[in-house]
Amino acid sequence: MSHPHPELGQPPRLPDDALRVVALGGLGEIGRNMTVFEHRGKLLVVDCGVLFPEEHQPGVDVILPDFSWIRDRLDQVEAIVLTHGHEDHIGGVPYLLKERGDIPLIGSKLTLAFITSKLKEHRLKPQTVEVKEGDRRKAGPFDLEFLAVNHSIPDGLAVAIRTRAGLALHTGDFKMDQFPLDRRLTDLRGFARLGEEGVDLFLTDSTNADVPGFTTAEKDLGPAIEAVFRTAPGRIIVSSFASHVHRIQQVLDAAKAGGRKVAFVGRSMVRNMGIARDLGYLSVPKGLIVDLKELEQLPDHKVTLVCTGSQGEPMAALSRMANRDHMIRIGEGDTVLMASSLIPGNENAIYAVINGLIRWGANVVHKGNAKVHVSGHASAGELVYCYNLVKPRNVMPVHGEFRHLKANAALAINTGLPADRAIIAEDGVVVDLHKGRAKITGKVDAGYVYVDAMTVGGVTEANLKDRRTLGQEGVVTVVLIVDAHTGKLAEPPDFLARGFVHDDTTFKPLVPVIEDALRKAASEAIGDAVQLEQLVGRAVGHWTHRHWHRRPVVIPVVIDA
């Protein structure tokens, strides 16, 4: 099994008969999926998504892939292929198009509708190329063929990329539900046909590679969702990803059967479900959907709210409800149905939200206590089927944390793939396919790029550290009025503290420490306010750490008297 090596340097020049593959996101995390293929001086981008922040990244809206490796070569990008319309695959597109607006977007009807509508908010009008399963398209030296795959959103596609270097098959996100709600099966016949032709590099979805067996069929959720609608005494509040059309369809069907009306809450939910309905992917019974104002006039047992966060993520709206910071006030008799997955790494935050909702009196139904969500990703049994069907020459697991990538590679090896042909790469690791062999040849920058309100990439790890400190360690502001002639305190300092446990006597011992720092400054003829603030800040920081074992953010303010 080939592993990335931390000492990897810049990759060598790519031969004309080789294909380079670099994931700029999505390998080592669940999110910000973006894979760049390079061949004969041209680039093809597959997906460009975002990652949602965790608790330790306060104030961050979303996290992008790092475009720096391709920034100087954007004119060489032939197209961006979008495998499906989830945020972790399309959310980064607006930011890449702001750097070069005329890169064609290739995708299925629903995927392009979702991204076009999102780009409107960014005032961008993209060039789009609509494809469906079975289509073949040229993009420079890349010959693309699209295959249907089944996922938790309609219209997902796998993409086969033929080049002079060989054939790569990228599954996108997929599973092998044999009874999909939209009757659109993963095209295993197409996978087998490509296998006969010879797949040189198979890039496969790893998200559920460590889950044995087969992923439950979507239709098996019907009874559990219907049971919630049959037994809930009051309002039902459903939280879901704003792009999960299949799940919303099940909710609408159950609401109709239960004699309820439905309102969508959250900009992205309203937008996406409107698009899905207009294009015929969502079947909405007449009169079922009403706006929020109309819903407020109805008795609780007739009410269903379907909500999401502003970016389409389900937890944002629920956490605001749990904190009483949302227009929907949760109370006794409410049932909250969490019809979405727990994103790995966020479990603690999610259980904190569940506890908060229960504290307000809600009954919370989630995948931990009822069959109300199934994954959109192939489990180990399905992946093994694919390896046996396709019989690839080389395998590169994609889309997953390191443990998922490793488990996926092990599955491929168990089906007979030589261990040195299972390539475990992480973000930024360069994999070259040359003369039928895939090898790791280098590494490029692929760090996190934080989007924070108005800035892209302006926030650094140091800023986040400060924010975490502000939240956990507090802030101490020291206001000093200093005599400009003597350099001594003109009056006792003022201490203002936030998030730092203190009383009137806490900071008294600090006064001599500050006087000492000022004396030192005067002896070295330091009278500049900025320099004095730095000296005092350091002295106060040392003292609080030594005496209180805390590192608050210290803000010294020096005023000349």
Side-chain angles (χ1 to χ4, degrees), residues 152-427:
S152 52
I153 185 174
D155 247 9
L157 295 169
V159 58
I161 304 166
R162 290 179 177 86
T163 67
R164 286 196 201 173
L167 167 58
L169 174 57
H170 191 308
T171 64
D173 285 6
F174 86 113
K175 57 179 171 176
M176 286 161 47
D177 191 337
Q178 298 304 301
F179 305 98
L181 298 177
D182 59 1
R183 308 301 307 152
R184 187 172 174 274
L185 293 158
T186 289
D187 185 6
L188 295 178
R189 295 172 69 187
F191 278 23
R193 173 175 54 77
L194 291 168
E196 291 296 325
E197 183 182 328
V199 171
D200 296 289
L201 184 62
F202 194 23
L203 298 100
T204 49
D205 176 1
S206 308
T207 315
N208 276 359
D210 58 351
V211 178
F214 287 69
T215 301
T216 310
E218 297 270 347
K219 74 173 178 58
D220 292 351
L221 302 185
I225 292 173
E226 285 155 20
V228 170
F229 278 80
R230 219 174 27 251
T231 57
R235 300 184 301 174
I236 297 176
I237 292 104
V238 180
S239 99
S240 170
F241 284 104
S243 46
H244 206 329
V245 179
H246 295 323
R247 193 76 71 253
I248 305 300
Q249 183 70 64
Q250 289 171 308
V251 166
L252 296 184
D253 295 345
K256 184 172 191 305
R260 290 171 177 266
K261 298 285 188 188
V262 177
F264 292 131
V265 182
R267 192 182 68 224
S268 47
M269 181 67 79
V270 171
R271 179 187 72 199
N272 283 359
M273 291 310 129
I275 292 168
R277 183 184 57 207
D278 293 348
L279 296 179
Y281 292 92
L282 190 68
S283 156
V284 182
K286 204 167 173 49
L288 181 70
I289 307 275
V290 297
D291 70 27
L292 210 50
K293 288 204 170 39
E294 203 175 320
L295 204 70
E296 284 163 1
Q297 311 307 312
L298 295 173
D300 283 358
H301 68 281
K302 295 280 183 194
V303 169
T304 305
L305 294 148
V306 180
C307 66
T308 197
S310 62
Q311 304 278 354
E313 75 284 30
M315 287 313 298
L318 282 191
S319 65
R320 285 177 54 207
M321 286 176 210
N323 295 332
R324 277 287 190 261
D325 176 30
H326 196 284
M327 60 181 173
I328 299 169
R329 311 289 280 181
I330 297 292
E332 292 291 337
D334 286 338
T335 299
V336 175
L337 172 58
M338 293 173 65
S340 57
S341 57
L342 305 186
I343 295 172
N346 277 7
E347 290 93 342
N348 288 349
I350 289 166
Y351 284 118
V353 169
I354 291 172
N355 285 326
L357 295 167
I358 293 171
R359 192 172 282 120
W360 295 118
N363 172 31
V364 181
V365 182
H366 55 92
K367 74 179 243 186
N369 61 16
K371 207 188 234 184
V372 290
H373 175 73
V374 294
S375 173
H377 304 271
S379 297
E382 291 149 89
L383 291 168
V384 165
Y385 254 75
C386 285
Y387 290 133
N388 284 333
L389 262 180
V390 175
K391 295 220 172 300
R393 296 193 179 101
N394 302 272
V395 166
M396 178 177 165
V398 293
H399 199 292
E401 295 176 2
F402 196 82
R403 62 196 165 102
H404 303 122
L405 305 177
K406 182 103 175 162
N408 198 354
L411 295 176
I413 292 165
N414 285 341
T415 66
L417 184 81
D420 62 345
R421 287 176 174 253
I423 309 292
I424 296 183
E426 288 183 279
D427 292 342

Side-chain angles (χ1 to χ4, degrees), residues 32 60 62-67 447-451 456-459:
R32 65 176 205 137
V60 172
V62 290
I63 303 165
L64 296 177
D66 183 351
F67 303 147
Y448 281 0
V449 175
Y450 298 106
V451 178
V456 177
V459 176

Side-chain angles (χ1 to χ4, degrees), residues 2-8 402 423-426 429 440 443:
S2 296
H3 285 70
H5 202 272
E7 281 87 54
L8 288 168
F402 196 82
I423 309 292
I424 296 183
E426 288 183 279
V429 169
I440 289 172
K443 197 169 189 320

